[in-house]
Amino acid sequence: RGKRAFIAGIADDNGYGWAIAKSLAAAGAEILVGTWVPALNIFETSLRLGKFDESRVLPDGSLMKITKVYPLDAVYDCPEDVPEDVKTNKRYAGSTKWTVKEVAESVKEDFGSIDILIHSLANGPEVSKPLLETSRNGYLAAISASSYSFVSLLKYFAPIINPGGATISLTYIASEKVIPGYGGGMSSAKAALESDTQVLAFEAGRKHKIRVNTISAGPLRSRAAKAIGFIDMIIDYSLENAPLQKELSADEVGNVAAFLASPLASAITGAVVYVDNGLNAMGVGV
Ligand code: NAD
């Protein structure tokens, strides 16, 4: 039978999550999606109205099928963790069972198991502030949404990921080199995500025989990246300074994710894989 993938962090057709879904679908995987609760309505409506149909086209001409979209807020592990103001918030009131534990339970009920878990989400409310001006709450929120969210997803999904399965998250080089503008503790959050990739590769490898890798992706004009504000400058910088002087397409990241999730990568775990036109190799620009 084909593989089944759960991709957390798709709310439109511009981000890495969408491109990864397409590459996995093109390779024959069944696609399940977890969408941030406040973005769920517009995503499902746009899907239904055919607004994404052009970008659903796979290499063989068929349209990518999304079997099911689950509401998800990866900042909350279980219902007891959800504060009253969120519970009663208009944007959450229409959905149920969107904490990480409940989503894993729903996927288990609906499908029994999965083979591939993708974490393509991040959030840092103070991302536009330098680290030196970031509040404790802003820093902890960045870590909660962008790093612990992966620990939590793996914790609750691991029992339903088949042995031989693979998990992948998305990181950014700001974890290891200074990228002014990537603030609010987001650089810290990516450093945590990369370190956790190694520890979780060990723990989940031993306990569940599943692999844990992260892709350090180059810049893409996604919704999240546009919110940070400096994406055009970073794309220009990469065009000028990377070994490969071309714009990075989301599909190139999607294809590496499909490789990492496949048996071709059966000995790769605990790795940070750069998909950035080689920019990470440069010490100075020329
Ligand atoms: P994106 O906007 O397509 O994806 C981010 C998603 O996270 C959105 O769908 C958003 O709704 C979701 N999200 C935010 N908070 C959430 C929560 N609490 N629970 C569930 N979902 C939540 O943007 P993207 O740039 O494709 O981001 C995907 C991943 O790629 C992120 O981890 C990001 O840091 C990483 N990345 C992006 C770039 C870039 O230049 N765009 C570069 C390197 C790494």
Side-chain angles (χ1 to χ4, degrees):
R1 108 183 145 69
K3 301 238 163 108
R4 184 177 296 119
F6 182 87
I7 300 147
I10 300 183
D12 59 42
D13 60 350
N14 292 319
Y16 281 132
W18 178 272
I20 291 169
K22 276 181 75 176
S23 292
L24 292 172
E30 177 176 23
I31 305 299
L32 312 178
V33 166
T35 299
W36 195 34
V37 190
L40 180 73
N41 232 328
I42 181 156
F43 178 61
E44 285 197 306
T45 307
S46 306
L47 257 183
R48 204 170 340 103
L49 294 179
K51 290 202 176 151
F52 301 137
D53 282 0
E54 247 174 69
S55 35
R56 278 173 62 207
V57 181
L58 300 176
D60 71 356
S62 69
L63 293 191
M64 167 172 70
K65 194 168 161 257
I66 296 176
T67 305
K68 186 158 179 180
V69 179
Y70 294 86
L72 167 71
D73 193 323
V75 158
Y76 304 108
D77 300 320
C78 53
E80 301 83 72
D81 291 351
V82 182
E84 209 47 48
D85 60 316
V86 175
K87 255 182 230 162
T88 54
N89 184 311
K90 264 212 320 268
R91 297 158 88 202
Y92 285 76
S95 302
T96 54
K97 295 193 189 167
W98 41 259
T99 65
V100 176
K101 181 167 181 263
E102 292 170 291
V103 175
E105 283 166 0
S106 299
V107 171
K108 183 180 180 184
E109 242 174 69
D110 294 342
F111 298 97
S113 66
I114 63 170
D115 306 286
I116 299 163
L117 173 69
I118 308 290
H119 175 283
S120 182
L121 64 95
N123 198 13
E126 297 182 16
V127 64
S128 49
K129 283 190 196 165
L131 186 54
L132 198 49
E133 282 156 36
T134 297
S135 72
R136 185 180 299 267
N137 279 341
Y139 183 98
L140 293 176
I143 295 272
S144 173
S146 314
S147 317
Y148 190 78
S149 55
F150 180 67
V151 180
S152 176
L153 276 165
L154 185 56
K155 170 174 169 178
Y156 289 107
F157 274 84
I160 64 160
I161 302 179
N162 293 315
T167 70
I168 300 164
S169 66
L170 276 301
T171 186
Y172 185 48
I173 196 162
S175 59
E176 41 179 316
K177 301 281 178 202
V178 182
I179 310 280
Y182 198 74
M186 279 306 299
S187 56
S188 332
K190 292 306 193 189
L193 183 66
E194 289 174 27
S195 176
D196 295 348
T197 297
Q198 297 186 311
V199 176
L200 296 170
F202 166 66
E203 294 179 3
R206 292 291 176 91
K207 189 161 180 206
H208 301 283
K209 295 191 167 58
I210 58 189
R211 297 181 291 109
V212 182
N213 292 297
T214 189
I215 292 175
S216 186
L220 174 76
R221 244 182 235 94
S222 64
R223 187 188 170 94
K226 280 191 270 190
I228 302 173
F230 70 157
I231 187 68
D232 291 315
M233 190 270 278
I234 292 287
I235 289 175
D236 290 344
Y237 180 89
S238 180
L239 272 175
E240 246 171 69
N241 296 293
L244 302 176
Q245 291 185 298
K246 61 179 179 59
E247 198 152 320
L248 179 70
S249 82
D251 294 352
E252 293 175 295
V253 169
N255 290 339
V256 173
F259 158 69
L260 283 174
S262 81
L264 293 174
S266 56
I268 302 181
T269 193
V272 178
V273 177
Y274 295 92
V275 186
D276 65 348
N277 285 321
L279 186 63
N280 72 91
M282 302 301 293
V284 294
V286 280

